Amino acid sequence: MENFNINKDGFYGDFGGAFIPEMLQPNIDELQKNYLKITESTDFKKEFNKLLTDYVGRPTPLYFAKRLSNKYKTKIYLKREDLCHTGAHKINNTIGQIILAKKLGKKRIIAETGAGQHGVATATVCALMGIECVVYMGEIDISRQAPNVARMKMLGAKVRSATSGSRTLKDATNEAIRDWIANPIDTHYIIGSVVGPHPYPDMVARFQSVIGYETKKQLLEMEQTDKPTHVIACVGGGSNAAGLFYPFLNDLDVEIVCVEAAGKGVNSGESAATSILGTEGIIHGSKTLLMQTQDGQITEPYSISAGLDYPGIGPMHANLFKSNRGKFISIDDDDAMKWGLMLSQIEGIIPAIETSHAFAVLEKMDFNRDDIIIFNCSGRGDKDLDTYINYFKL
Amino acid sequence: MENFNINKDGFYGDFGGAFIPEMLQPNIDELQKNYLKITESTDFKKEFNKLLTDYVGRPTPLYFAKRLSNKYKTKIYLKREDLCHTGAHKINNTIGQIILAKKLGKKRIIAETGAGQHGVATATVCALMGIECVVYMGEIDISRQAPNVARMKMLGAKVRSATSGSRTLKDATNEAIRDWIANPIDTHYIIGSVVGPHPYPDMVARFQSVIGYETKKQLLEMEQTDKPTHVIACVGGGSNAAGLFYPFLNDLDVEIVCVEAAGKGVNSGESAATSILGTEGIIHGSKTLLMQTQDGQITEPYSISAGLDYPGIGPMHANLFKSNRGKFISIDDDDAMKWGLMLSQIEGIIPAIETSHAFAVLEKMDFNRDDIIIFNCSGRGDKDLDTYINYFKL
Amino acid sequence: MNRINQVFKNSKDILSIYFTSGFPKLDDTLEIIKELDNSNVQMIEIGLPFSDPLADGPTIQKSSEIALKNGMTTDLLFKQLNGLRAITDIPVVIMGYFNPILQYGFEKFCRRCKNVGIDGLIVPDLPVEIYQKDYIKITEKFGLNMMFLITPQTSNERIYKIDKFSNGFIYMVSSYSVTGAKNSFDEYQIDYFKRINKMKLSNPLLIGFGIGNNNTYKTACKYSSGAIIGSAFIKHIKRNGVKSTKDFISEITE
Amino acid sequence: MNRINQVFKNSKDILSIYFTSGFPKLDDTLEIIKELDNSNVQMIEIGLPFSDPLADGPTIQKSSEIALKNGMTTDLLFKQLNGLRAITDIPVVIMGYFNPILQYGFEKFCRRCKNVGIDGLIVPDLPVEIYQKDYIKITEKFGLNMMFLITPQTSNERIYKIDKFSNGFIYMVSSYSVTGAKNSFDEYQIDYFKRINKMKLSNPLLIGFGIGNNNTYKTACKYSSGAIIGSAFIKHIKRNGVKSTKDFISEITE
Ligand SMILES: Cc1ncc(COP(=O)(O)O)c(C=O)c1O
Ligand SMILES: Cc1ncc(COP(=O)(O)O)c(C=O)c1O
């Protein structure tokens, strides 16, 4: 049987690995050697679970969306990651990584951020632990995501502007990597999604897998089965999706649906639908699908949601796509915005625009009455209010 | 023994009652007659608890704040109401009231709001239930709390501007009451705090008491006692405080601390420290302490936090004050802001400015090593980012 | 016999006019009373302005706000009213929210009412039960009538109770609404008026809220002892000045 | 024998200069090579510009960005290099990130390198293990040398492995840093240079990163076979033009 988990070399099928400059080799080696030993230790698990419970607010509810279910004549559940401390699933990963960093004796944390959610989640765990924090953020994102910049500063983090390239997420990631190259000994780099060199994709997926495992347990109580028929999530880098899918990867009865941002339309030239527009290549140390020119220059994606606006997807997702294990659907800006408003008005939950993309599949796929559909409600929409306001002229 | 709960006539000591125009009598009668019957029914409790669990995200964690505890050499726990759906404790009450309203056959909901938290919480439960919602908000608050106005509109609520008087919370409340007078049959008025005519103060306190009961249970697990030495909360109208204090009201071993907003200083003329500046009187149908001229004209309070900027306190709190059961401390704008930043940087939690006031007592009171102090972390600071940004020039 | 009871005994189609003291000008109180007396209204209700008049519509809210801004206080009102009985013999009641009265001291308030020649009180947010428990002795001591409101929603049982503790008249609120003038009554309101009339209460009825023209006044008189007009009058003197009071009244009564 | 191995056999104090192809002008490639040849440098590294050069500092980043904006492509570079061996005999390597090479096709890339007279490759984000597994056969087929980097953090075990798979020289990165010129080396760096020298590797060493003046060049030569200069050269020609190459080189070597 095919296995959709990572193999011992750090690959998902053809994708993954660690294509990194020699300068990063010791850091990556250290992680590769230690990440499972540490994260599988009782000690780590205890601290991780305690913080997820007492600080993050886990388990997050599995909420049966009654009115939405009635409207679409099927059973729809929302996994409420929007209720996590700081407002999205991102903090599951940063909690895991900060404990790991402490155990590795690191004294300084760096991170990249696009929309600012991962930056806030990182700044938060650094404040919690009293560890210095530097967050790289594209110059353009700094100006368009002012509230999250303010949150990071409130939390005591330094926000450094990435002024190279397209001055957005991809360049912030480059800058973070450069910082790490310059500070290999005392610094840990907290990547924000299931991207980057091995072991990051696997490590982040494991930290996020709490989403899927909780879902199984909760579903068993609510539906007397721990198997949904569909698990659906938006994919930027892919961490919230990986977290929900994790326990179901090799269970072929469960349909996996990845929702990408089509931006202004897949063929508009302004899109982030990597599975359609991307080709195989290497980005940020990982072999995966990415948007690039024929010449291998990485191109700038576009989506109304800053969190989906990354030119690659994680290697796990590249493999889900290539193997046909996952269904990939792309949703454009207008549909996503419409669904953000819809979910707000039908269930009283204002989703992050990233998350809104996922819900739009309700009008792109057919479901049966008895289907049990789990949506990962990956984040809340507070950070996106300005965008919603301007879009709908509220 | 003195009883700090409500008596059968709807009074806490000298305070409470229902001083309402005859036009509201049928509505208030209906509530007085039914609220306990309905809310104590198994049916109601089941629905209430289910929504609190699956939708709001309860139980909220009781989080041991390690770094803060070390700094102040005592045991400090935070009851994490900031993790509730919509970002504050306010939704506990609106969930309760919307179920009650449905059971009373109401088809339309009205509410008042100041900072917008209660408005958002009300708009949310109305969207959840598919019930029409009108929120009254002072004209001035509408312009200074734009993001929450946008949230309410996203949720499908109508936001109506209160243009009379000082055009803030007190006037929004007047407008809501006028709407209720004009729509007595199909409309339920969801008050946002433990204020207003009986049975509102008791009803809201009961809905919020989940905070205190959860705390007891969680504390028992963590400290092998269900009795803290101190329970501390900010008091605007007093609902988050009432919710935390509820199970401890008659347990004199537990010290109750109410934190009011001193604004620019208790004697500055711009303050909301009702226990010091207020006198007995009637506001919004309830006999309580309120800020008023010698002539009985209600005056406009001031605080940097819109949620504490109400000229009265609930009758339960007026009684806690008069009887000396509760200790009252007032904290000015600057101290509150400082503590907002402090909590952000020491624990990674950006509190609502209302909530920040409560923490400032750590420098106003002395605590012992073995004390167990519960702070109600009533809400998150996302709504206050602009104020923090401008104040600290971040 | 109290002037209020007297007027109901002797007159029909009673017109009672409400105005907010301190509005439009701080010192207009006696002037307006004089004008009303000259216009042959049967009763006057003086509003004691309150910062939070939650049973009132925009017109009376605004007038209260201006009155307070002008400097109106309870004490000042009583000073102004020292000349009351030199200029009119018709019944005059004070309509005020409970909090300002409470702050003044209920008993002291009643004493001064008595001293200046006020005949009764309407306190919209003082429920009859609390009045009965804590205050009835005081009003009786000073010979002040107390009038309560009923609405289309008030139960029969409660109406009888209110009838029992009211003295003078019952203020029959015409509709589900705060104060403010309307052009006509609808059939539900008429049914309600009829229903109350059939109850044979011991107090006479006055209809208030939503009355502002000859039509609504006439209808009110048909189903009760008369009408109370507030918002429409305030709007009128705001636009046309206190001196135009007589024009307003004659337009209403024709 | 490959020109690279030759130069290390015959020369000492080797100066290898890096420049980004397509910068400052799209067609400067051969011009710069001619200038470098005239200036008597011993080796040239041609940078293939990449959108995301994550091991490079601001100077090389910026030059890559401009080169790409100018229209530089892999194909165009090879076209330009058709004239390479007509103008210089010194060893020339291409330094490029892995993704553009992969997209071009690794084998096709190597073939064209061979055809235009390129002697070797430096691919900073191609780890030696993957090279060993998937690509060594191809570079060997086309007689291209492969050079790998080591840093102060690289373990001895790994250095030996890198030494085994490198052919030509080992690129000794001077510090924890991305590219960019500095004024001097500190004692930790000197210790590191000494430590590596003691390892008696089979490949000669060139020190790179942070070299930009006579001082650092001299020190590098003391502890290795020579130095690689990139950022400092790019800054120089950006400011003074390609024609001033000789001035730069003589200032470095004095
Ligand atoms: C709410 C939310 N959902 C989804 C994403 C996309 O990231 P990922 O694909 O790693 O889950 C983001 C990124 O910022 C986010 O904030
Ligand atoms: C976070 C938060 N805390 C406290 C309050 C004050 O209200 P109460 O005193 O009813 O808890 C508010 C009111 O908006 C609030 O938003």
Side-chain angles (χ1 to χ4, degrees):
Chain A
M1 205 192 73
E2 238 177 316
N3 184 337
F4 297 96
N5 261 305
I6 200 156
N7 69 20
K8 66 171 181 23
D9 298 325
F11 280 82
Y12 299 88
D14 297 336
F15 302 106
F19 295 81
I20 47 162
E22 189 58 37
M23 297 80 110
L24 287 181
Q25 204 67 51
N27 312 34
I28 292 298
D29 266 357
E30 185 183 26
L31 283 178
Q32 286 181 359
K33 274 192 198 110
N34 293 298
Y35 87 108
L36 285 180
K37 205 162 60 194
I38 294 178
T39 61
E40 294 294 311
S41 71
T42 329
D43 209 36
F44 179 96
K45 282 187 177 164
K46 216 174 120 188
E47 187 171 357
F48 183 56
N49 290 332
K50 178 125 186 91
L51 283 175
L52 288 188
T53 305
D54 293 354
Y55 186 71
V56 173
R58 305 207 70 91
T60 59
L62 184 67
Y63 165 66
F64 177 66
K66 194 157 110 188
R67 298 183 68 214
L68 199 62
S69 296
N70 282 344
K71 180 158 178 180
Y72 287 92
K73 301 193 173 32
T74 186
K75 289 193 218 162
I76 300 172
Y77 284 88
L78 272 48
K79 182 59 176 160
R80 296 291 305 278
E81 296 301 301
D82 60 305
L83 294 179
C84 288
H85 182 46
T86 70
H89 67 290
K90 296 280 180 192
I91 194 153
N92 301 323
N93 168 42
T94 62
I95 292 274
Q97 290 206 43
I98 198 77
I99 304 174
L100 180 76
K102 265 195 341 181
K103 298 212 183 281
L104 291 173
K106 305 294 178 179
K107 305 268 174 280
R108 180 172 172 273
I109 295 295
I110 53 172
E112 86 295 341
T113 198
Q117 279 306 111
H118 174 60
V120 168
T122 304
T124 296
V125 297
C126 289
L128 176 68
M129 298 298 183
I131 294 183
E132 187 189 342
C133 179
V134 176
V135 179
Y136 289 91
M137 190 168 183
E139 197 175 37
I140 288 178
D141 289 336
I142 286 183
S143 71
R144 68 180 171 182
Q145 305 284 341
N148 271 345
V149 175
R151 288 169 87 192
M152 289 185 263
K153 289 181 178 171
M154 277 291 286
L155 293 160
K158 279 185 208 73
V159 179
R160 289 216 187 122
S161 169
T163 56
S164 64
S166 52
R167 292 170 293 145
T168 58
L169 177 56
K170 149 178 111 56
D171 311 285
T173 310
N174 293 336
E175 279 305 319
I177 291 175
R178 287 177 191 126
D179 181 310
W180 209 20
I181 287 174
N183 300 282
I185 295 171
D186 67 339
T187 297
H188 176 68
Y189 174 25
I190 301 190
I191 288 187
S193 192
V194 288
V195 300
H198 177 64
Y200 278 107
D202 185 47
M203 181 168 71
V204 177
R206 282 165 184 265
F207 291 146
Q208 294 291 1
S209 70
V210 64
I211 301 172
Y213 286 113
E214 280 179 11
T215 300
K216 266 176 97 77
K217 205 172 139 194
Q218 291 166 321
L219 199 61
L220 188 61
E221 263 179 40
M222 300 169 99
E223 292 280 354
Q224 287 74 54
T225 169
D226 65 353
K227 267 194 203 188
T229 55
H230 300 76
V231 285
I232 306 180
C234 67
V235 172
S239 66
N240 87 86
L244 175 62
F245 302 164
Y246 200 86
F248 307 110
L249 283 174
N250 295 317
D251 184 345
L252 302 185
D253 292 345
V254 178
E255 182 161 355
I256 284 175
V257 183
C258 297
V259 185
E260 292 181 314
K264 298 191 176 163
V266 168
N267 300 314
S268 66
E270 297 189 70
S271 178
T274 306
S275 69
I276 301 176
L277 300 170
T279 50
E280 293 181 22
I282 287 162
I283 181 171
H284 297 136
S286 179
K287 193 173 215 175
T288 187
L289 290 172
L290 67 140
M291 289 167 58
Q292 52 184 330
T293 65
Q294 240 193 328
D295 232 38
Q297 307 299 341
I298 299 174
T299 54
E300 191 54 20
Y302 163 83
S303 162
I304 195 165
S305 75
L308 298 185
D309 175 350
Y310 181 71
I313 52 176
M316 176 200 279
H317 302 287
N319 187 45
L320 293 176
F321 178 73
K322 195 168 174 183
S323 64
N324 277 319
R325 171 70 185 94
K327 186 182 178 92
F328 279 68
I329 293 183
S330 43
I331 297 297
D332 68 22
D333 288 355
D334 290 333
D335 266 1
M337 294 305 280
K338 189 185 94 182
W339 273 88
L341 190 64
M342 157 77 113
L343 195 74
S344 304
Q345 304 202 344
I346 200 165
E347 293 291 350
I349 298 169
I350 306 176
I353 299 175
E354 289 81 5
T355 312
S356 303
H357 284 77
F359 291 103
V361 305
L362 282 171
E363 279 177 354
K364 306 272 167 178
M365 283 173 71
D366 289 322
F367 297 101
N368 296 322
R369 269 251 179 248
D370 299 337
D371 282 349
I372 298 174
I373 304 168
I374 313 284
F375 281 99
N376 197 351
C377 192
S378 60
R380 67 184 184 225
D382 295 48
K383 69 181 180 66
D384 296 316
L385 278 174
D386 274 355
T387 312
Y388 279 128
I389 293 169
N390 292 336
Y391 186 90
F392 292 113
K393 314 254 175 297
L394 290 180
Chain B
M1 204 193 73
E2 237 177 317
N3 184 338
F4 298 95
N5 261 306
I6 200 155
N7 70 20
K8 64 171 183 22
D9 298 326
F11 279 82
Y12 300 87
D14 296 337
F15 303 106
F19 296 82
I20 47 162
E22 188 58 37
M23 296 80 111
L24 287 181
Q25 205 67 52
N27 310 35
I28 292 298
D29 267 358
E30 184 183 27
L31 282 179
Q32 287 181 358
K33 273 191 200 114
N34 293 297
Y35 86 108
L36 285 180
K37 205 162 61 194
I38 293 178
T39 62
E40 294 294 311
S41 70
T42 329
D43 210 35
F44 179 96
K45 282 187 174 165
K46 216 174 119 188
E47 186 170 358
F48 183 55
N49 290 333
K50 179 126 186 90
L51 282 175
L52 288 188
T53 305
D54 294 352
Y55 186 71
V56 173
R58 303 206 72 89
T60 59
L62 184 66
Y63 165 66
F64 177 67
K66 194 157 109 188
R67 299 183 68 213
L68 199 62
S69 296
N70 283 344
K71 180 159 179 177
Y72 287 92
K73 300 192 174 34
T74 188
K75 289 193 217 159
I76 301 172
Y77 285 88
L78 272 50
K79 183 60 176 161
R80 298 291 304 280
E81 296 301 299
D82 60 305
L83 294 179
C84 289
H85 182 45
T86 70
H89 67 291
K90 295 280 179 192
I91 194 153
N92 301 323
N93 169 42
T94 61
I95 291 274
Q97 291 206 43
I98 198 77
I99 303 174
L100 181 77
K102 263 194 343 181
K103 297 213 185 286
L104 291 171
K106 304 294 178 180
K107 304 267 175 282
R108 180 174 173 271
I109 296 295
I110 53 173
E112 85 295 340
T113 198
Q117 280 306 113
H118 174 60
V120 169
T122 305
T124 296
V125 297
C126 288
L128 177 66
M129 299 296 185
I131 294 183
E132 186 188 344
C133 179
V134 176
V135 179
Y136 289 91
M137 189 168 185
E139 198 175 36
I140 288 178
D141 289 336
I142 286 183
S143 71
R144 67 181 171 181
Q145 306 283 342
N148 271 345
V149 174
R151 287 168 88 192
M152 289 185 261
K153 289 182 178 170
M154 275 292 287
L155 292 160
K158 277 185 208 74
V159 179
R160 288 211 190 130
S161 170
T163 57
S164 64
S166 52
R167 291 168 294 146
T168 58
L169 176 56
K170 149 176 111 57
D171 311 285
T173 310
N174 293 337
E175 278 306 318
I177 291 174
R178 288 176 190 126
D179 181 311
W180 208 20
I181 287 174
N183 299 282
I185 295 171
D186 67 340
T187 296
H188 175 68
Y189 174 25
I190 300 190
I191 287 188
S193 193
V194 287
V195 300
H198 178 64
Y200 278 108
D202 184 47
M203 181 166 74
V204 176
R206 283 165 184 266
F207 291 146
Q208 294 291 2
S209 70
V210 63
I211 301 173
Y213 286 113
E214 280 179 9
T215 299
K216 266 176 98 78
K217 204 172 139 194
Q218 291 166 321
L219 199 61
L220 188 61
E221 264 178 40
M222 299 169 99
E223 294 280 352
Q224 287 73 55
T225 169
D226 66 352
K227 266 195 204 187
T229 55
H230 299 77
V231 284
I232 306 180
C234 68
V235 172
S239 65
N240 86 85
L244 175 62
F245 303 164
Y246 200 86
F248 307 109
L249 283 174
N250 295 317
D251 183 345
L252 302 185
D253 293 344
V254 179
E255 182 161 353
I256 284 175
V257 183
C258 297
V259 186
E260 291 181 317
K264 299 190 175 163
V266 167
N267 299 313
S268 66
E270 297 189 71
S271 178
T274 307
S275 69
I276 301 177
L277 300 170
T279 49
E280 293 181 22
I282 286 161
I283 180 171
H284 297 137
S286 179
K287 192 173 216 176
T288 189
L289 289 171
L290 66 140
M291 290 168 58
Q292 53 183 332
T293 65
Q294 243 193 326
D295 233 38
Q297 307 299 341
I298 299 175
T299 54
E300 191 56 18
Y302 163 83
S303 162
I304 194 164
S305 75
L308 298 185
D309 168 352
Y310 181 72
I313 52 176
M316 174 200 281
H317 302 286
N319 187 46
L320 292 176
F321 178 73
K322 196 169 176 183
S323 65
N324 277 320
R325 171 71 185 94
K327 186 183 179 88
F328 279 68
I329 293 183
S330 42
I331 298 297
D332 67 22
D333 288 357
D334 290 334
D335 266 1
M337 293 305 279
K338 189 184 92 179
W339 273 87
L341 190 63
M342 158 77 112
L343 195 74
S344 303
Q345 301 200 345
I346 201 167
E347 293 291 351
I349 297 169
I350 306 175
I353 299 174
E354 290 80 6
T355 313
S356 303
H357 284 76
F359 291 103
V361 304
L362 282 171
E363 279 175 356
K364 306 271 169 180
M365 284 176 71
D366 289 323
F367 297 101
N368 296 322
R369 269 250 178 250
D370 300 336
D371 283 351
I372 298 173
I373 305 168
I374 313 283
F375 281 99
N376 197 351
C377 192
S378 60
R380 67 183 185 228
D382 294 48
K383 70 183 182 61
D384 296 317
L385 279 175
D386 274 355
T387 313
Y388 280 129
I389 295 169
N390 293 335
Y391 185 89
F392 291 113
K393 314 257 175 294
L394 291 180
Chain C
M1 191 189 259
N2 183 298
R3 286 184 198 89
I4 301 169
N5 305 93
Q6 199 104 38
V7 82
F8 281 94
K9 213 174 145 196
N10 301 336
S11 320
K12 41 181 273 195
D13 298 354
I14 289 172
L15 179 59
S16 176
I17 295 291
Y18 168 95
F19 71 95
T20 306
S21 60
F23 175 89
K25 297 265 159 48
L26 183 61
D27 293 325
D28 280 341
T29 311
L30 284 193
E31 181 73 20
I32 293 171
I33 292 172
K34 242 186 267 174
E35 288 285 338
L36 288 168
D37 185 84
N38 280 340
S39 312
N40 293 318
V41 308
Q42 283 79 27
M43 186 153 66
I44 294 174
E45 293 175 24
I46 304 176
L48 177 64
F50 181 44
S51 54
D52 296 77
L54 44 77
D56 286 301
T59 305
I60 296 181
Q61 284 171 41
K62 194 77 201 161
S63 70
S64 304
E65 209 179 312
I66 291 171
L68 291 173
K69 234 181 242 148
N70 288 342
M72 199 63 207
T73 66
T74 313
D75 230 31
L76 182 59
L77 176 60
F78 285 124
K79 284 201 186 109
Q80 292 175 347
L81 291 181
N82 272 331
L84 175 68
R85 287 305 165 196
I87 58 168
T88 185
D89 286 329
I90 63 173
V92 178
V93 310
I94 286 183
M95 169 145 180
Y97 286 84
F98 192 37
N99 193 52
I101 298 173
L102 209 57
Q103 297 312 313
Y104 198 79
F106 196 88
E107 175 147 7
K108 179 174 161 200
F109 190 90
C110 291
R111 180 180 301 114
R112 293 210 64 180
C113 281
K114 181 73 199 166
N115 290 344
V116 300
I118 291 292
D119 303 294
L121 297 177
I122 300 173
V123 184
D125 57 343
L126 175 60
V128 65
E129 292 81 4
I130 294 171
Y131 169 69
Q132 162 191 4
K133 194 166 142 280
D134 295 335
Y135 300 106
I136 191 165
K137 293 226 179 75
I138 303 173
T139 52
E140 284 181 348
K141 172 167 160 196
F142 295 104
L144 292 171
N145 282 10
M146 198 73 178
M147 276 73 57
F148 290 94
L149 282 60
I150 63 170
T151 80
Q153 281 263 88
T154 314
S155 67
N156 282 0
E157 185 192 0
R158 193 169 170 83
I159 290 176
Y160 285 122
K161 184 188 209 173
I162 283 169
D163 188 35
K164 185 164 159 209
F165 291 100
S166 291
N167 180 1
F169 63 90
I170 285 176
Y171 192 139
M172 181 155 63
V173 174
S174 67
S175 65
Y176 311 151
S177 159
V178 291
T179 58
K182 306 232 164 69
N183 287 328
S184 66
F185 294 125
D186 63 27
E187 65 180 302
Y188 295 102
Q189 290 174 290
I190 303 292
D191 284 351
Y192 154 62
F193 300 154
K194 287 183 181 160
R195 174 167 64 81
I196 304 301
N197 270 294
K198 283 207 191 106
M199 290 180 72
K200 304 284 168 217
L201 301 176
S202 59
N203 284 285
L205 300 164
L206 281 186
I207 296 180
F209 284 40
I211 299 177
N213 59 19
N214 176 263
N215 175 23
T216 43
Y217 168 67
K218 283 273 162 65
T219 313
C221 291
K222 189 163 161 202
Y223 295 104
S224 77
S225 303
I228 301 167
I229 295 183
S231 298
F233 177 65
I234 287 172
K235 254 191 209 147
H236 182 87
I237 59 173
K238 185 175 178 186
R239 196 171 299 155
N240 309 295
V242 169
K243 293 282 176 218
S244 72
T245 296
K246 202 170 209 155
D247 302 344
F248 177 81
I249 304 300
S250 39
E251 214 176 286
I252 295 290
T253 53
E254 270 171 23
Chain D
M1 193 189 257
N2 184 298
R3 285 183 198 88
I4 300 170
N5 304 92
Q6 199 104 37
V7 83
F8 279 94
K9 212 174 146 196
N10 302 334
S11 318
K12 41 182 270 183
D13 297 356
I14 290 172
L15 178 59
S16 177
I17 295 292
Y18 168 94
F19 72 93
T20 306
S21 60
F23 175 86
K25 297 264 161 51
L26 182 62
D27 291 326
D28 280 339
T29 311
L30 283 192
E31 182 73 19
I32 293 172
I33 293 172
K34 241 186 266 175
E35 289 285 337
L36 289 169
D37 184 83
N38 281 338
S39 313
N40 293 317
V41 309
Q42 285 76 26
M43 187 155 62
I44 294 173
E45 292 175 25
I46 303 175
L48 177 64
F50 181 45
S51 54
D52 295 77
L54 43 78
D56 287 300
T59 305
I60 296 181
Q61 283 172 42
K62 194 76 201 162
S63 70
S64 305
E65 210 179 312
I66 292 172
L68 291 173
K69 235 181 242 149
N70 287 343
M72 199 64 207
T73 65
T74 312
D75 229 28
L76 181 59
L77 175 60
F78 284 124
K79 281 199 191 114
Q80 293 175 345
L81 291 181
N82 271 332
L84 175 66
R85 286 305 164 193
I87 58 168
T88 185
D89 286 329
I90 62 173
V92 178
V93 310
I94 287 182
M95 171 148 180
Y97 287 84
F98 193 36
N99 194 52
I101 298 175
L102 209 57
Q103 298 312 313
Y104 199 79
F106 197 87
E107 176 149 4
K108 179 174 161 200
F109 190 88
C110 290
R111 180 180 301 117
R112 292 209 65 178
C113 282
K114 181 71 198 166
N115 288 345
V116 298
I118 291 292
D119 303 296
L121 297 178
I122 300 172
V123 184
D125 57 343
L126 175 61
V128 65
E129 292 80 3
I130 294 171
Y131 169 67
Q132 164 192 3
K133 193 165 143 281
D134 295 336
Y135 300 106
I136 191 166
K137 292 225 181 76
I138 303 174
T139 52
E140 286 181 347
K141 174 168 158 194
F142 294 104
L144 292 170
N145 282 9
M146 199 75 179
M147 274 73 57
F148 289 94
L149 282 60
I150 64 170
T151 81
Q153 283 262 88
T154 313
S155 67
N156 283 359
E157 186 191 359
R158 194 169 169 82
I159 291 176
Y160 286 122
K161 187 189 210 171
I162 284 170
D163 188 36
K164 186 168 156 202
F165 291 99
S166 291
N167 180 1
F169 64 90
I170 285 176
Y171 193 139
M172 183 156 62
V173 173
S174 68
S175 66
Y176 309 152
S177 157
V178 290
T179 58
K182 305 231 165 70
N183 287 326
S184 65
F185 292 124
D186 63 26
E187 64 180 301
Y188 295 102
Q189 290 174 289
I190 302 293
D191 285 350
Y192 154 61
F193 299 155
K194 287 182 181 162
R195 175 168 62 82
I196 304 300
N197 270 291
K198 283 205 193 108
M199 291 180 73
K200 304 283 166 214
L201 302 176
S202 59
N203 283 285
L205 302 164
L206 282 187
I207 297 180
F209 283 39
I211 299 177
N213 58 20
N214 178 263
N215 175 25
T216 43
Y217 168 67
K218 282 275 160 67
T219 315
C221 290
K222 191 165 161 198
Y223 294 102
S224 76
S225 304
I228 301 168
I229 295 182
S231 297
F233 176 65
I234 287 172
K235 254 190 209 147
H236 181 87
I237 59 171
K238 185 176 178 183
R239 196 170 301 153
N240 308 295
V242 169
K243 293 282 175 215
S244 72
T245 297
K246 204 170 205 154
D247 304 344
F248 177 81
I249 303 300
S250 38
E251 213 175 288
I252 297 289
T253 53
E254 271 172 19

